Amino acid sequence: MRELAVEVVFRHFPVRSSHPRAWPAACAAEAAGRQGRFWEMHDLLFGDQGRLEDPHLWRRAERLELDLARFDVDRRSDEVRERVARDFRSGVRAGVVTTPTLFAWVNGRAEPAELADLARP
């Protein structure tokens, strides 16, 4: 298999109709990211999607040893909410209908792809 140069870019796509707590979870991940712990929070959230109410979000923030006051302010901030909204709008424009969705840069533009497609020579 050839070596691939891959850049991972994450975009939020909180579909409220499928996951009512997806929006607060996305904001929690962004707030954790402001303290350098985005991927850790992301993994905790996806690892237990049945517990996304605020007390569970705070417990995850505690587990990551985040500054809880800052975490709470950040996750409710206009900046974080706008980031999540911007990501969602970008996904809609790109044709995202489900998550996760993978895109590959092909001929100067992002195209939906399957991971197996990227491994082909």
Side-chain angles (χ1 to χ4, degrees):
M1 180 185 305
R2 67 186 172 115
E3 300 235 356
L4 296 173
V6 176
E7 178 181 357
V8 175
V9 179
F10 185 89
R11 297 289 183 259
H12 298 284
F13 199 73
V15 181
R16 290 179 175 152
S17 61
S18 301
H19 304 285
R21 296 289 298 169
W23 189 274
C27 290
E30 279 301 312
R34 289 178 170 224
Q35 296 184 49
R37 306 298 298 268
F38 174 85
W39 287 110
E40 293 94 332
M41 179 63 84
H42 169 276
D43 292 347
L44 290 173
L45 294 168
F46 275 85
D48 187 1
Q49 295 181 39
R51 293 186 175 103
L52 298 176
E53 295 78 18
D54 285 353
H56 298 285
L57 298 178
W58 295 322
R59 278 191 220 118
R60 289 178 175 102
E62 286 175 333
R63 182 174 168 186
L64 295 175
E65 300 179 350
L66 300 180
D67 175 326
L68 296 181
R70 180 176 165 201
F71 170 77
D72 204 45
V73 167
D74 285 345
R75 76 185 184 96
R76 298 172 189 277
S77 71
D78 290 341
E79 295 85 11
V80 163
R81 290 174 189 232
E82 178 52 34
R83 164 64 192 266
V84 173
R86 186 176 61 240
D87 282 0
F88 184 80
R89 289 189 305 266
S90 173
V92 169
R93 283 192 305 273
V96 173
V97 294
T98 188
T99 61
T101 298
L102 177 67
F103 286 86
W105 199 254
V106 179
N107 297 323
R109 58 186 277 199
E111 297 285 343
E114 296 292 329
L115 190 56
D117 294 338
L118 299 177
R120 293 188 185 128

